[in-house]
Amino acid sequence: MNFSTPDAPALVVRDVTKHYGSRGNAVQALRGISVELARGSFTAVMGPSGSGKSTFLHCAAGLDRPSSGEVWLGGVPLSGMRETGLTRLRRDRIGFVFQAYNLLPSLTVKDNITMPLRLSGASLDRGWLEEIAGRVGITARLGHRPSELSGGQQQRVAIARALISRPDIIMADEPTGALDSRTGQEVLQLFQELVHHLGQTVLMVTHDPVAASYAHSVLFLADGRLVERMDSPTAEAVAERMTHLGGR
């Protein structure tokens, strides 16, 4: 099933709030956030601890339901969608990349990459598999097990798995957090290449100003609010802005 509308933005978040707990003890995690991400863009999200970064990502991905407001993914409204529909949409239209690679150790690299297709019952496009394996630099590793790969190679497998269903957007939560600086740089450069050469859209939560500098723009959150958007960021400018927000 194709949920996406081709001409729509990859993601629209409008006046989204999220609170936890009862009224007397409610915690406001998000306070009226509105964002629109064009297709083929690379956006980083930063803010101090407790600023709402992860909550924002979860609401944008349909992993958590906003208390109010609207989220559209590829032109499809998530509000009112039943859990089975959300599960299918997340599986087919969102590619997830996390700090933990979440690869199945008993499967080969190829089988880990194609797992989302097997879960959805979709057929494998071998040409597409070959293209993304080449793009992420793991063509020679398709028959290996995760234990035979370095951390950077495992993250490349996770990125290939995120791409296999041709998602509207890749959502990455601290994707370089478990990698050394050189390997992390390679993964960030890979994200840039996917955006530039495949037209992929990437939304990345990070605490690292250097990682954020690889994005087209950075969204700064504080106390559950979107306080600034910085285009063409540099690591120095991001670090300076984070200092004024009270953390990294």
Side-chain angles (χ1 to χ4, degrees):
M1 181 181 294
N2 188 352
F3 291 92
S4 163
T5 302
D7 296 331
L11 177 71
V12 176
V13 176
R14 185 172 297 167
D15 297 325
V16 163
T17 69
K18 181 64 181 180
H19 60 78
Y20 299 96
S22 59
R23 286 191 175 184
N25 298 303
V27 174
Q28 287 289 124
L30 298 177
R31 303 170 185 262
I33 289 184
S34 295
V35 171
E36 182 173 313
L37 303 185
R39 293 178 185 268
S41 62
F42 185 3
T43 306
V45 181
M46 295 195 73
S49 178
S51 61
K53 301 187 298 296
S54 293
T55 303
F56 170 71
L57 191 74
H58 291 169
C59 287
L63 293 168
D64 203 353
R65 293 184 184 271
S67 300
S68 64
E70 299 285 345
V71 177
W72 286 267
L73 181 73
V76 177
L78 271 58
S79 60
M81 189 176 289
R82 295 186 177 182
E83 193 57 41
T84 52
L86 280 173
T87 299
R88 193 179 306 119
L89 180 140
R90 290 192 299 263
R91 183 189 65 208
D92 296 341
R93 306 311 314 162
I94 302 175
F96 292 100
V97 180
F98 300 104
Q99 180 173 333
Y101 318 122
N102 296 330
L103 303 179
L104 296 177
S106 61
L107 299 183
T108 64
V109 165
K110 177 183 176 182
D111 287 341
N112 267 285
I113 293 171
T114 58
M115 175 62 72
L117 300 179
R118 292 200 297 279
L119 291 175
S120 66
S123 59
L124 171 62
D125 182 337
R126 295 187 182 278
W128 178 238
L129 172 63
E130 291 173 4
E131 179 174 354
I132 62 174
R135 288 285 183 187
V136 304
I138 56 170
T139 300
R141 300 286 185 173
L142 291 176
H144 289 66
R145 309 283 181 186
S147 61
E148 300 174 287
L149 307 180
S150 68
Q153 289 169 332
Q154 290 186 61
Q155 191 63 294
R156 289 172 180 269
V157 175
I159 293 169
R161 180 183 58 196
L163 287 167
I164 193 66
S165 62
R166 293 186 172 90
D168 287 287
I169 189 169
I170 288 179
M171 296 195 179
D173 193 354
E174 300 284 2
T176 61
L179 304 175
D180 62 71
S181 59
R182 180 178 177 180
T183 306
Q185 182 182 33
E186 292 173 354
V187 168
L188 292 164
Q189 289 171 340
L190 175 58
F191 279 136
Q192 286 183 326
E193 292 170 8
L194 297 175
V195 169
H196 295 155
H197 297 298
L198 295 183
Q200 186 60 61
T201 308
V202 177
L203 178 64
M204 175 182 71
V205 168
T206 182
H207 71 282
D208 183 1
V210 174
S213 71
Y214 282 80
H216 294 151
S217 60
V218 181
L219 306 178
F220 292 95
L221 272 58
D223 297 323
R225 293 185 173 90
L226 176 61
V227 296
E228 185 178 336
R229 176 174 182 147
M230 180 186 293
D231 295 323
S232 302
T234 64
E236 294 77 12
V238 172
E240 175 66 19
R241 188 67 185 92
M242 285 297 297
T243 298
H244 293 295
L245 289 178
R248 294 189 180 183

